[in-house]
Amino acid sequence: MAMVDLTVRGAGIFGLSIAWACLRRGASVRIIDPGGPGAGASGGIVGALAPHVPENWNEKKAFQFESLMMAEEFWGGVDAASGLSSGYARLGRLQPIADEAALAMAQARAASAASLWKGQAIWRVISAEQVGAWAPQSPTGLLIEDSLSGRLHPRKACASLAAALTARGVEIRPMAEDEGRIVHATGWQGLLELNDASRRPMGNGVKGQAALFDYDAGDCPQLFADALHIVPHADGTVAVGSTSERDFASPDSTDGALDDVIFRAQQAFPVLRDAPILERWAGVRPRSRSRAPMLGQHPQRAGEFIANGGFKIGFGMAPKVAQVMADLILEGRDAIPEGFRPEASL
């Protein structure tokens, strides 16, 4: 094997995205993952790239906004290089408005979005009648519409990234020796390893269960109703998820908790009631103690780097995570927000 500038341990969304960003800047890269690309939670089915609410602005929300705005160019470049489709599209999102209090809050957020989102996306109140059959059940007959939310198919996005990387000579191997600079993007198991050598837990795994329906919604926006993401994909399916389980016996099995998710989705969105279920999926997402991504110098391995803790927002954060990590690893420029550093989870 030829020597490389960078070894990335972990072929989930953070590891693959960082490898892609570094490769595009001229670094030679090798990726190591015993399970292969997207073997963990990154190989899921939901893929809701949805922003935090536009209020109480902070560094995490600003970082996410920038990343969502980068997504079209990022995934367009990946798909062009791979010849595959990540399923990315920025199609927006709809949310039901439950009552007058929720309406007042939605209208206030519309005003703040105009400023915080810099005129590049909208948040507004519309009538459910404007949407037709795709509208979720709404007690007021009103919906929140935002144009910032996007979607992709996580499993296909990882496949597209892996193909783009290998097309440019990157090896993705189950085992190999570390060479050059080293990045650890090893998901929830990596967080557990940190915990073993830390005075208190730095993170944990949170299991999620989701379902995939055989329903072609075309280019309709995603929905967020009853705390569920309902995401139409380009391949004629609709994904629904997910649970959040801190305690679990099996990381990849589904059970009655998913049955409840399916029932709630069908209640909120009646057109799914007769749609066949194609897949029941479960996986464990990495959640840092700070609840933000954990980026920067590795807290326990001097001279090495870490990118972990994507939890539910990893795919939405990936373009910006890849950018700032490439800045740090290759150029020594540190633009990582304070709240994203490993120290925030100590």
Side-chain angles (χ1 to χ4, degrees), residues 230-264:
I230 302 170
V231 183
H233 287 307
D235 62 1
T237 62
V238 170
V240 174
S242 63
T243 62
S244 288
E245 305 166 50
R246 296 284 293 271
D247 299 312
F248 51 89
S250 172
D252 55 5
S253 63
T254 62
D255 53 33
L258 181 55
D259 295 333
D260 179 64
V261 165
I262 292 168
F263 174 78
R264 287 160 50 207

Side-chain angles (χ1 to χ4, degrees), residues 144-225:
I144 299 165
E145 178 188 41
D146 83 71
S147 65
L148 181 54
S149 295
R151 65 103 201 270
L152 52 64
H153 194 299
R155 192 175 299 159
K156 294 183 178 183
C158 286
S160 186
L161 266 169
L165 287 159
T166 56
R168 296 195 177 191
V170 174
E171 294 181 315
I172 303 177
R173 301 174 60 88
M175 297 180 64
E177 296 296 320
D178 293 333
E179 294 176 356
R181 299 176 180 89
I182 303 164
V183 182
H184 298 266
T186 49
W188 71 287
Q189 294 96 337
L191 292 178
L192 296 185
E193 291 176 5
L194 289 178
N195 294 346
D196 290 341
S198 180
R199 290 176 297 174
R200 64 177 185 175
M202 296 185 68
N204 61 285
V206 179
K207 181 177 177 179
Q209 300 186 49
L212 192 68
F213 289 81
D214 185 4
Y215 185 90
D216 190 350
D219 288 335
C220 286
Q222 64 182 274
L223 310 176
F224 186 69

